[in-house]
Amino acid sequence: MKSVALTIVEPAEAPDPAGLQPAPAPDETTETASRERKPLEALARAILLPAITFGLVLLGWTIMQAAFVPSFPDVPTVWNKAIEIFSDPFYVYGPNDMGVAWQVMYSLGRVVAGFLLAVAVGIPAGFLIGANKTFEQAWMPLIAILRPVSPLAWLPIGLLIFRAVDPSAIFVIFITSIWPMILNTAAGVKAIPQDYLNVARVLNFNRREMVTKIYVPATLPYMLTGMQLSLGTAWMVIVAAEMLTGGIGIGFYIWDEWNNLSVPSIIVAIVIIGCVGILLEAGMNHIRRRYDYASKQE
């Protein structure tokens, strides 16, 4: 018999028309370069886009001043005035003639005093209204009437009661700041899950433990939001209040410069007000992120 040699032929690899085979691993160098580029691109956008916006505003300012309002100060004039103002911001030439730094500090002092007074009154009132139906029914109609009233409408009342500029301005800030704190705190108390309260009853928490371990931690995000809204509004209101009452403050400084026909000084003061407002907002954001557990989880 003849021997037959068997040859085993391995099958050829089948084509992969559907593209089911895994793709080759990306180059690690490319991934590293991409990761390094992203922060640089974000930084460039954070700088470039605002620079474009400010450039367009300055261009529109220059066109408006040259073509439509020649009496309006141009950009170089305002810049030179800003250099002059900031060269000596702490001068004192008299009781009502002080540098712009002192004006801002006096305004901030009034805002902080009225704001802290509103915190001392508004937060407990918000807890009572949110936790007790009787308090809510008794006080919410009055709050609904007084809250829409313009803060400056309270200024004559303050002047009549206190007969002095500083207490009247602090009173206006207090009235301005208290409503967001009351309403946000009350909303936070109402939003506390019932499970929290049930657990507190099972553990036999007393009133102090209920406040410190349940109510305050659960309503803290709402309280901080109300405080942030109040502080921003208070800084806006104090400028208008000081323009009406006179004395020392950034609002009076603007009115005094208007009487002196110094529009460049007014523009510089407006920029200062905006920058201080940004700092106040940043400070409240930092506090909110520091103590708000929801922000920490983001």
Side-chain angles (χ1 to χ4, degrees):
M1 296 179 62
K2 295 182 180 179
S3 59
V4 179
L6 298 178
T7 303
I8 299 176
V9 180
E10 295 182 0
E13 293 184 0
D16 186 21
L20 300 178
Q21 292 187 1
D27 186 11
E28 294 183 0
T29 306
T30 305
E31 286 187 351
T32 303
S34 177
R35 285 196 300 268
E36 292 177 351
R37 256 197 327 268
K38 287 182 179 179
L40 295 177
E41 291 177 356
L43 180 62
R45 289 174 61 88
I47 295 176
L48 184 60
L49 293 180
I52 293 174
T53 301
F54 281 107
L56 292 175
V57 170
L58 294 178
L59 178 61
W61 179 354
T62 303
I63 295 174
M64 179 200 70
Q65 187 272 335
F68 302 103
V69 192
S71 60
F72 198 82
D74 55 12
V75 176
T77 302
V78 175
W79 177 258
N80 293 332
K81 191 64 179 180
I83 294 175
E84 177 187 341
I85 291 174
F86 289 113
S87 63
D88 189 12
F90 289 97
Y91 73 83
V92 178
Y93 293 154
N96 293 328
D97 188 6
M98 298 183 180
V100 69
W102 292 115
Q103 308 284 353
V104 172
M105 291 172 64
Y106 271 86
S107 297
L108 282 175
R110 297 183 182 113
V111 168
V112 171
F115 177 78
L116 293 179
L117 186 61
V119 170
V121 177
I123 298 299
F127 272 109
L128 289 175
I129 291 173
N132 191 296
K133 195 70 175 177
T134 302
F135 274 97
E136 181 182 8
Q137 293 177 342
W139 286 97
M140 284 305 295
L142 179 63
I143 294 174
I145 293 174
L146 298 181
R147 187 171 64 90
V149 177
S150 172
L152 295 180
W154 294 97
L155 185 58
I157 305 298
L159 291 172
L160 178 63
I161 296 174
F162 300 104
R163 301 182 184 276
V165 172
D166 283 347
S168 301
I170 293 172
F171 172 74
V172 171
I173 296 303
F174 168 77
I175 293 294
T176 301
S177 304
I178 195 171
W179 310 126
M181 294 185 194
I182 291 177
L183 296 178
N184 278 272
T185 303
V189 173
K190 291 180 180 180
I192 296 176
Q194 187 63 37
D195 293 341
Y196 293 3
L197 303 178
N198 294 337
V199 170
R201 293 191 184 97
V202 170
L203 297 176
N204 292 323
F205 281 1
N206 57 34
R207 188 178 298 275
R208 182 183 62 82
E209 290 174 329
M210 286 285 292
V211 172
T212 58
K213 296 182 179 181
I214 300 295
Y215 283 106
V216 171
T219 59
L220 190 57
Y222 293 85
M223 286 191 293
L224 293 174
T225 300
M227 293 168 65
Q228 186 173 8
L229 293 173
S230 297
L231 187 59
T233 306
W235 180 242
M236 290 189 294
V237 170
I238 193 61
V239 176
E242 290 173 345
M243 292 177 70
L244 296 176
T245 58
I248 305 173
I250 192 65
F252 171 73
Y253 176 84
I254 291 177
W255 189 251
D256 191 46
E257 293 302 313
W258 168 250
N259 291 330
N260 295 330
L261 301 179
S262 180
V263 179
S265 298
I266 296 175
I267 297 175
V268 174
I270 290 173
V271 174
I272 293 173
I273 292 170
C275 292
V276 173
I278 290 174
L279 293 176
L280 293 175
E281 185 79 10
M284 285 303 304
N285 274 329
H286 175 73
I287 295 174
R288 184 174 59 83
R289 292 183 180 276
R290 172 66 177 82
Y291 294 102
D292 185 356
Y293 66 88
S295 297
K296 291 181 181 179
Q297 295 176 350
E298 293 177 356

